[in-house]
Amino acid sequence: MVATTVEFADSLIDQTRGLMFRRSLPDDYALAFRFDTVKTRDVHMLFVFVPIDAVWVVDGVVQRVERLRPWRGFAREECDLLVELPAGAGADVTAGDRLVFEE
């Protein structure tokens, strides 16, 4: 299990803000961005104060996992789901893994 508390960034405002300005993240937290199509999605760390693990997913299959540093990190990959986790939470997630949300 990667996270027990998942917040969905469904609105354009929530997607634009992402994790900016947050000073900490609970260990069991994830912010998920769901998209209708697969295309290249960027993650930037401008105004993000904590390191994170970003996970890019296509059709439920992890494509890439990347640790990003506060303020300086940037990465991009194709996905239809992007999940941002506290740094270290994605350590056991690798490309090819399946990512499923359970209610």
Side-chain angles (χ1 to χ4, degrees):
M1 182 174 319
V2 176
T4 56
T5 302
V6 179
E7 180 181 347
F8 291 95
D10 290 330
S11 74
L12 182 59
I13 291 171
D14 288 342
Q15 290 175 359
T16 301
R17 183 177 54 235
L19 294 175
M20 290 192 308
F21 309 110
R22 297 194 193 188
R23 300 284 181 179
S24 65
L25 298 174
D27 291 339
D28 64 341
Y29 176 83
L31 179 60
F33 302 78
R34 297 180 286 196
F35 303 101
D36 293 331
T37 60
V38 175
K39 72 180 224 182
T40 301
R41 313 280 178 193
D42 299 338
V43 177
H44 71 82
M45 296 296 288
L46 191 61
F47 298 108
V48 179
F49 297 99
V50 295
I52 66 167
D53 289 347
V55 182
W56 289 263
V57 180
V58 174
D59 295 330
V61 178
V62 173
Q63 304 299 303
R64 177 178 177 188
V65 180
E66 184 81 25
R67 171 89 32 95
L68 299 173
R69 295 176 32 197
W71 288 92
R72 298 180 188 168
F74 177 83
R76 68 170 35 137
E77 184 68 54
E78 285 192 345
C79 69
D80 59 9
L81 172 67
L82 175 64
V83 181
E84 297 178 349
L85 305 162
D92 293 331
V93 179
T94 59
D97 287 351
R98 282 203 140 301
L99 187 70
V100 178
F101 293 111
E102 296 180 356
E103 293 189 37

